[in-house]
Amino acid sequence: MFQNVCSTTERVVRVIIGLAILSLVYFLRDQGAVRYWGLVGFIPIATAVLRYCPISHMFGIKTCAIKQE
């Protein structure tokens, strides 16, 4: 699989942002269906784990260092 999220720092930031968004499920528990927007937090967590972000790929953004042969 193509990897475009290689930086450890970027992966950690994505996990932290994902957990922050995911926490909305807990903090908005009395707000009805609005709380399920917190499930969007799984997207940055998945991109960090899989090391692939389709939006970065679409815009041609690569955080991997170019290897010289």
Side-chain angles (χ1 to χ4, degrees):
M1 177 181 253
F2 183 75
Q3 294 181 356
N4 62 356
V5 179
C6 295
S7 169
T8 303
T9 305
E10 182 179 3
R11 292 176 65 206
V12 169
V13 169
R14 286 177 186 260
V15 169
I16 291 171
I17 290 171
L19 290 174
I21 296 171
L22 195 59
S23 71
L24 291 176
V25 173
Y26 175 75
F27 289 115
L28 297 177
R29 65 182 176 265
D30 297 330
Q31 302 298 323
V34 175
R35 74 184 234 176
Y36 294 111
W37 277 98
L39 297 177
V40 173
F42 282 119
I43 295 171
I45 294 172
T47 60
V49 170
L50 298 175
R51 293 184 172 190
Y52 177 73
C53 179
I55 295 173
S56 296
H57 181 79
M58 183 172 59
F59 289 117
I61 301 169
K62 297 178 185 176
T63 58
C64 299
I66 298 174
K67 297 180 181 180
Q68 299 292 332
E69 294 184 22

